């Protein structure tokens, strides 16, 4: 088996349907599709049962969170490569898997591409990733797990996703793979997925905690860079503070201009 696609879901039956449809309509079909549902109560389980013929494995039961569900999927996977395509995320078009895999014998540990990002059904930006992954890029950035095919043997070497990490266990795995284990990688300059920006890690309320978590991981895994990242954190805090100040100032100016405009009309 060349590829295992793993989809995790919890109470997102419409997102699950979109994801599954994007998979079953692919022109290249040499893959298995694994569904890990966290015991949903919104009809997801009924949908999974009704479409069981499309899945090599499916389960609906309580889990311990996103990365526990991903790890359960990996444990069931038989593919040489793994793709995490969670409920709500879709493959960019019906030719994606054919473009990536047909008649292309890869040796790289990571195969990754680019993505579009959408929220509430509206595409608002794209993410184009670098050809070479480095510590400098991964310190602040990340490739999209919806568009990265990971050799299963890499998990056998490094381990599964760390379930004690709340927000960035996939980032933790990738930075370890590239910067500690010298994982080989190739960037395919094609749009592979349309990613939903309505999930946990895209919520601005979590950004500060995500930033703190990332720093804690770096201090544990790459202690030689501790001074550097603390220095950059201070710069980042000042920059963020300046951005907020400018935003507030601009907002006040905009309000004043609106008021003046209303007064003029009167």
């Amino acid at each position: 088996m060349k590829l295992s696609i793993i989809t995790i879901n919890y109470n997102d039956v419409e997102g699950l349907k979109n994801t599954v449809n994007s998979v079953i309509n692919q022109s290249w079909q040499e893959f298995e599709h694994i569904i890990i549902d966290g015991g949903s109560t919104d009809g997801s389980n009924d949908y999974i049962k009704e479409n069981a013929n499309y899945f090599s494995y499916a389960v609906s039961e309580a889990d311990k969170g996103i990365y526990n569900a991903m790890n359960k999927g990996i444990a069931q996977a038989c593919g040489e490569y793994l793709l995490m395509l969670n409920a709500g995320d879709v493959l960019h078009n019906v030719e994606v898997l054919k473009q990536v895999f047909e008649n292309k014998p890869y040796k790289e540990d990571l195969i990754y591409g680019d993505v579009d990002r959408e929220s509430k059904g509206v595409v608002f930006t794209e993410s184009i990733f670098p050809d070479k992954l480095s510590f400098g890029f991964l310190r602040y950035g990340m490739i999209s797990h919806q568009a990265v095919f990971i050799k299963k043997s890499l998990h056998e070497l490094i381990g599964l996703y760390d379930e004690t990490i709340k927000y960035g266990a996939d980032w933790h795995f990738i930075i370890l793979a590239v910067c500690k284990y010298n994982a080989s990688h190739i960037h395919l300059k094609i749009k592979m997925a349309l990613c939903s920006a309505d999930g946990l890690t895209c919520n601005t309320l979590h950004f500060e905690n995500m930033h703190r978590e990332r720093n804690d991981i770096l201090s544990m895994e790459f202690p030689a860079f501790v001074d550097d990242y603390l220095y950059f954190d201070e710069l980042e805090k000042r920059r963020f503070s300046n951005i907020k100040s400018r935003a507030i100032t601009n907002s006040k100016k905009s309000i004043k201009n609106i008021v003046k405009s209303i007064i003029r009309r009167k």
Side-chain angles (χ1 to χ4, degrees):
M1 180 67 63
K2 191 68 176 178
L3 173 66
S4 297
I5 300 173
I6 299 169
T7 297
I8 68 169
N9 173 69
Y10 182 65
N11 283 338
D12 185 11
V13 65
E14 293 305 318
L16 179 62
K17 289 177 181 178
N18 291 336
T19 302
V20 171
N21 285 335
S22 82
V23 171
I24 64 178
N25 288 317
Q26 288 294 302
S27 60
W28 183 87
Q29 290 280 317
E30 294 178 38
F31 60 81
E32 63 175 358
H33 197 182
I34 295 167
I35 306 292
I36 307 295
D37 181 74
S40 295
T41 56
D42 69 339
S44 293
N45 193 25
D46 290 336
Y47 173 77
I48 292 167
K49 289 178 180 177
E50 290 165 4
N51 294 275
N53 57 304
Y54 291 120
F55 314 130
S56 63
Y57 177 85
V59 66
S60 181
E61 61 186 16
D63 56 48
K64 299 175 184 177
I66 293 172
Y67 297 110
N68 176 246
M70 287 184 174
N71 286 339
K72 286 166 68 173
I74 293 170
Q76 297 297 328
C78 297
E80 179 185 358
Y81 284 93
L82 311 178
L83 172 66
M84 295 293 174
L85 193 71
N86 297 342
D89 300 319
V90 299
L91 293 169
H92 201 274
N93 58 70
V94 297
E95 300 294 321
V96 168
L97 297 184
K98 181 178 180 180
Q99 286 179 288
V100 175
F101 286 108
E102 188 171 68
N103 301 320
K104 295 174 183 175
Y106 296 101
K107 295 182 179 180
E108 288 82 2
D109 298 311
L110 304 170
I111 306 164
Y112 64 99
D114 305 318
V115 301
D116 281 330
R117 300 190 184 279
E118 63 85 21
S119 177
K120 306 294 187 288
V122 178
V123 176
F124 64 92
T125 191
E126 63 179 6
S127 293
I128 307 297
F129 300 110
D131 291 338
K132 180 173 175 55
L133 299 178
S134 64
F135 184 86
F137 168 74
L138 292 170
R139 167 64 185 94
Y140 291 103
M142 173 59 174
I143 52 179
S144 294
H145 69 252
Q146 302 93 333
V148 56
F149 301 88
I150 301 174
K151 247 187 182 178
K152 189 179 181 186
S153 59
L154 199 59
H155 277 292
E156 293 166 359
L157 173 65
I158 300 172
L160 299 176
Y161 294 114
D162 186 339
E163 295 177 20
T164 66
I165 298 173
K166 183 175 182 179
Y167 301 103
D170 52 342
W171 167 80
H172 173 243
F173 177 85
I174 293 294
I175 199 170
L176 282 183
V178 173
C179 300
K180 276 200 169 182
Y181 290 87
N182 297 314
S184 57
H185 52 274
I186 182 171
H187 176 217
L188 305 183
K189 298 176 184 179
I190 60 174
K191 294 283 183 66
M192 291 187 180
L194 180 61
C195 307
S196 171
D198 298 321
L200 177 72
T201 57
C202 294
N203 188 327
T204 55
L205 295 175
H206 301 300
F207 282 4
E208 185 174 347
N209 288 334
M210 289 164 59
H211 183 73
R212 188 178 296 113
E213 178 186 82
R214 187 173 282 210
N215 284 345
D216 289 342
I217 292 169
L218 287 171
S219 66
M220 176 180 67
E221 301 289 2
F222 299 95
F225 293 89
V226 168
D227 290 341
D228 285 344
Y229 84 70
L230 286 176
Y231 170 69
F232 283 117
D233 283 348
E234 288 305 313
L235 291 181
E236 196 173 86
K237 286 176 185 176
R238 290 177 200 167
R239 183 175 65 84
F240 183 63
S241 177
N242 290 337
I243 290 171
K244 285 198 296 183
S245 297
R246 287 198 298 272
I248 292 168
T249 300
N250 291 337
S251 177
K252 288 178 179 177
K253 286 180 180 177
S254 297
I255 292 169
K256 285 180 180 179
N257 289 336
I258 291 168
V259 171
K260 286 179 181 177
S261 176
I262 293 170
I263 291 171
R264 282 196 211 102
R265 291 193 192 111
K266 288 182 178 180

